[in-house]
Amino acid sequence: TYDRNFPCPTEVFWKGLKCTLPFLTKDESRYSLGATRIEFSAPAKISFAATDGHRLSFLEKTIDESLFPPSLEKKPLTVLLPSDVSALLQRIKPDSKFVNLYFSHDTVGVLQNIRLDFDNWEISCRVLPAKFPDISKVIPNETHITYQINVTA
C-alpha cells in the first residue's frame, strides 16, 4: 500500500527528467549513479540530480506550497529513480497538469516503491536503496567571482 502521495506539476517533473537523463552513468558497477535523485524538501522545493562521476546535472524548482505535503516539512524525502524508468518516462508526453506520485515504505519507514499516475498511465517501480553522492559538497553556496558578458545583437 502507498502511504504518501504528492501531486507534482507535470512541467516541473518532465523538465527535471530531461535535464538529468544525459548525465546518468551506464556503468553497472556504480549502482547509485545509475539513478535520478529526486528530493522533495521544504519550503516547497523539488530538486533533480544525476551524475556519471565526471559531470553533474542539478535542477531545483520551487512549487506551489498548497501542493506540498506537510509531512515533508519535517524531513525531506529522497528518491533514487532507476535510469530505465527515467528513460521510459522521458518518451511519454503527458497531457495532464499533474503527475501524482505515491510512495510506499516498509515497516521501519524505509522508502521501497514509487508509483506515478498521469493520463491513462500508471507506472510503479522499486526505488534504489543505494546512497547518492552528497552534491552539496560539490556545488558551492556562494562565490566571490562575477562575470559580466556584453552581448550585442
Side-chain angles (χ1 to χ4, degrees):
T1 62
Y2 291 88
D3 52 7
R4 286 190 195 174
N5 73 324
F6 173 66
C8 181
T10 301
E11 181 182 327
V12 170
F13 193 80
W14 256 256
K15 185 171 184 167
L17 290 178
K18 185 178 179 180
C19 289
T20 56
L21 196 57
F23 294 86
L24 295 173
T25 186
K26 307 285 187 269
D27 184 357
E28 292 182 16
S29 66
R30 304 184 83 182
Y31 188 61
S32 66
L33 301 184
T36 300
R37 186 202 66 136
I38 306 170
E39 183 174 89
F40 306 92
S41 59
K45 288 185 181 175
I46 181 171
S47 65
F48 297 82
T51 183
D52 60 5
H54 304 285
R55 305 169 300 153
L56 172 70
S57 174
F58 179 76
L59 175 71
E60 184 175 76
K61 292 284 191 179
T62 302
I63 59 173
D64 184 358
E65 285 189 38
S66 66
L67 300 173
F68 203 74
S71 61
L72 296 179
E73 290 178 11
K74 298 173 190 143
K75 183 181 177 194
L77 176 65
T78 302
V79 176
L80 291 183
L81 194 65
S83 59
D84 294 345
V85 177
S86 295
L88 171 68
L89 289 170
Q90 201 38 213
R91 285 178 268 190
I92 302 169
K93 300 292 182 201
D95 294 324
S96 59
K97 288 182 87 162
F98 297 99
V99 176
N100 292 305
L101 307 172
Y102 298 89
F103 305 102
S104 161
H105 296 78
D106 66 9
T107 55
V108 291
V110 175
L111 182 64
Q112 295 289 310
N113 299 301
I114 183 171
R115 189 178 86 206
L116 301 97
D117 290 348
F118 54 91
D119 297 340
N120 292 324
W121 290 85
E122 182 178 306
I123 299 172
S124 76
C125 71
R126 290 187 65 81
V127 297
L128 296 180
K131 284 200 54 96
F132 195 83
D134 185 2
I135 60 173
S136 66
K137 294 179 180 175
V138 178
I139 302 173
N141 288 334
E142 60 183 63
T143 181
H144 302 291
I145 301 170
T146 304
Y147 292 99
Q148 183 175 352
I149 301 172
N150 295 323
V151 178
T152 57

